[in-house]
Amino acid sequence: MTSSKTARRPHHWRRDLIELAALFTAVAVADAIANLIGHQPEGPYLLMASAVALVATATFHTWWARRHSNAPPPKDPGTSDPAPAGATDPIDGAGAEETVLWRMRTTVRDAPGSLAALCLVLARFRIDILTLQTHPLADGTVDEFLLRAPASLPAPELTRQISAAGGTATWIERADTHDLVDTPTRVLSLATRTALDAAELPLALRQLLGRCTIHSLPAVSITGRPTGESAPVEGVLEETVMRLRDPSGGVISVERPYLPFTPTEFARARALVELDARLGPRVPRSEDILTLPEGNEITVRRADRSDLAAARAMHDRCSPGTLGLRYHGPVGDADRYLDHLLSPRFGRTLAVQTASGKLVALGHLLWDGDETEVALLVEDDWQRRGIGSELLGRLVQLAEEAGCESVYAVTQSRNTGMVAAMRALELPLDYQIEEGTLVITARLTSAPEPTRAPDGRTAQPSAPEPAERSRR
């Protein structure tokens, strides 16, 4: 090994001999020319002209060699010209072509070159691959892409090209900026949310698996009858349906008719459920202290099954008319019904209690498959004070944070308080009346950006004065 950066070339004596012979020959030729021209009258002038011409020729040769020494190799026949310097990429940079994000999933043979064929098709259409996941199967591999493609490229054309390259069962849908988060980061974030709040499990599963319908099927119905819903500890995967054992009893059913689940997705979902089972019942304990218009202070907080006794006592203090507006009929077994409502598996519940600790109102946000229901119950002596509007506004904010597209309330047409509270949300509303039952649906996707400020909502003139609030 040599100490210099480049190894020394071997010494050849033949080269030195040739160079020496060339030197003597050049000297002899120069001497002969000098003797021949120097004795002529114009000899000195000819010698000077020859020297100038020689210097000019050497200078031109040096300039030409330096200019073309780093030139690119000649273009092969059939290749296109490279982009000129300063040209703008049509997908990125200033003046770029408009692009869209796509999520695409396709199944390919588990053979060398299968993925490369798909990438060649994407490169041909100048599509940028942002992320790539592979889901191994028994007889192939499911490749899931997050793509940035020209907006002018239609999805059916891309699907046809992918099929021609060997992709089968191709599925594609529009994505958004939330999908730019890589999969490990997304899974860790969902696991953290699940660890902090048991009510997050159904939402975490939905965000993990994409568009799907999740049902929590209890082992015992509200009336106390066994439902027969059960699943083995390891769960069951059947193409577009997975069934997972609910740690609180019963089954969590996840359905996605348009796209079969892969074993990788099933393992991720099962891991989230196992995390929920190990951590046990839990709910965030943050509280808000509100001051009502007459000066009374109340506390708004999350509630769970530990509040069952206080919720039952509030039920006993409510009049039959108030319970009838809430449940649309008599309540036969309030304990069992409240136990269902207070379970974090079926939604989120907000409770209002007085300074003495007495519970006086409940607000429920209930997961109903692809839809979300809101329901309120305020004790008679605490009605018409703005508590219902406050609870409803907070429930809608929770629904927005959970990614729900709409919420609906089922009530009776004579329940003017609930109707006024829904109107005070200032959201697009749909009304449906059938046999005295009124269903009011508020579309959240058309609403303005939700504000985090505690006094960000503006009440209708007919609504009660909003409570003054402070954060504990």
Side-chain angles (χ1 to χ4, degrees):
M1 183 175 65
T2 62
S3 59
S4 60
K5 293 183 178 180
T6 57
R8 296 179 179 178
R9 297 181 179 179
H11 185 75
H12 297 288
W13 62 271
R14 294 185 182 86
R15 180 188 304 167
D16 295 341
L17 182 60
I18 293 174
E19 291 178 354
L20 185 60
L23 177 61
F24 278 107
T25 302
V27 171
V29 171
D31 182 68
I33 294 176
N35 291 330
L36 179 63
I37 299 178
H39 295 85
Q40 302 294 329
E42 296 84 4
Y45 300 105
L46 291 175
L47 287 177
M48 292 179 62
S50 299
V52 171
L54 181 61
V55 171
T57 303
T59 303
F60 176 77
H61 180 270
T62 302
W63 171 80
W64 182 267
R66 289 182 178 178
R67 180 176 180 180
H68 294 274
S69 59
N70 295 323
K75 181 181 63 175
D76 294 334
T79 60
S80 59
D81 293 333
T88 302
D89 187 354
I91 297 184
D92 201 9
E97 179 182 354
E98 184 181 358
T99 60
V100 295
L101 296 176
W102 293 101
R103 288 181 58 204
M104 185 185 74
R105 178 178 291 199
T106 188
T107 303
V108 299
R109 295 183 301 107
D110 189 8
S114 299
L115 179 58
L118 298 182
C119 294
L120 286 175
V121 170
L122 298 178
R124 186 186 311 156
F125 289 93
R126 301 191 62 77
I127 298 175
D128 188 15
I129 301 175
L130 302 179
T131 62
L132 169 63
Q133 295 184 63
T134 58
H135 303 259
L137 302 177
D139 54 351
T141 301
V142 174
D143 292 329
E144 185 172 353
F145 299 87
L146 179 61
L147 306 173
R148 179 185 287 119
S152 58
L153 177 64
E157 175 63 21
L158 178 58
T159 302
R160 285 193 296 269
Q161 295 295 332
I162 293 296
S163 299
T168 59
T170 302
W171 165 84
I172 185 171
E173 75 168 0
R174 288 290 293 271
D176 56 29
T177 54
H178 297 88
D179 295 309
L180 294 174
V181 180
D182 63 287
T183 302
T185 302
R186 183 187 302 114
V187 172
L188 288 173
S189 175
L190 296 177
T192 302
R193 290 174 52 184
T194 303
L196 295 175
D197 189 351
E200 288 285 340
L201 179 60
L203 302 176
L205 290 173
R206 181 179 299 175
Q207 294 191 18
L208 176 67
L209 303 172
R211 295 182 181 177
C212 57
T213 301
I214 299 178
H215 293 283
S216 293
L217 308 175
V220 179
S221 67
I222 298 178
T223 60
R225 298 179 180 178
T227 61
E229 299 290 348
S230 63
V233 177
E234 64 275 9
V236 177
L237 174 60
E238 300 174 348
E239 293 292 332
T240 60
V241 178
M242 65 172 69
R243 294 169 62 86
L244 305 167
R245 175 178 288 185
D246 193 333
S248 60
V251 173
I252 300 175
S253 173
V254 187
E255 301 179 8
R256 191 174 63 186
Y258 62 88
L259 191 65
F261 293 110
T262 65
T264 302
E265 291 175 314
F266 179 60
R268 292 171 181 170
R270 189 171 58 186
L272 275 180
V273 175
E274 291 176 355
L275 174 65
D276 179 82
R278 288 181 176 273
L279 295 177
R282 61 209 176 278
V283 64
R285 293 300 178 185
S286 61
E287 297 179 347
D288 284 348
I289 305 299
L290 310 180
T291 302
L292 297 177
E294 63 269 19
N296 295 331
E297 285 192 350
I298 59 173
T299 300
V300 181
R301 60 174 178 81
R302 286 283 301 277
D304 58 10
R305 283 173 167 167
S306 63
D307 297 292
L308 179 59
R312 178 56 196 266
M314 184 192 73
H315 259 236
D316 293 340
R317 295 192 301 269
C318 289
S319 65
T322 295
L323 294 177
L325 289 177
R326 167 62 182 87
Y327 299 108
H328 318 293
V331 181
D333 192 343
D335 286 340
R336 194 177 300 277
Y337 199 77
L338 286 172
D339 183 70
H340 173 87
L341 291 175
L342 294 173
S343 170
R345 186 66 70 245
F346 302 103
R348 296 174 179 173
T349 298
L350 296 178
V352 175
Q353 65 184 34
T354 63
S356 62
K358 183 172 67 172
L359 196 149
V360 296
L362 289 174
H364 304 284
L365 184 71
L366 304 173
W367 317 132
D368 184 15
D370 294 331
E371 300 179 332
T372 307
E373 181 183 0
V374 289
L376 302 174
L377 177 63
V378 181
E379 188 177 332
D380 296 64
D381 294 340
W382 292 86
Q383 294 177 8
R384 306 298 178 182
R385 301 189 187 187
I387 294 178
S389 297
E390 178 68 28
L391 284 178
L392 184 60
R394 290 171 177 263
L395 293 175
V396 169
Q397 183 175 341
L398 290 176
E400 290 175 336
E401 294 173 354
C404 302
E405 297 181 356
S406 63
V407 296
Y408 72 91
V410 181
T411 184
Q412 298 181 17
S413 56
R414 58 187 178 89
N415 191 351
T416 57
M418 188 64 177
V419 174
M422 292 292 289
R423 292 182 59 188
L425 295 173
E426 296 186 337
L427 296 174
L429 300 179
D430 296 328
Y431 299 88
Q432 183 178 357
I433 302 178
E434 184 176 351
E435 297 181 357
T437 299
L438 175 62
V439 179
I440 309 175
T441 302
R443 300 192 303 273
L444 306 184
T445 53
S446 302
E449 289 293 327
T451 176
R452 299 285 182 175
D455 56 349
R457 289 181 298 274
T458 303
Q460 296 286 347
S462 59
E465 182 179 352
E468 178 184 347
R469 65 201 83 174
S470 61
R471 173 74 64 178
R472 174 185 290 179

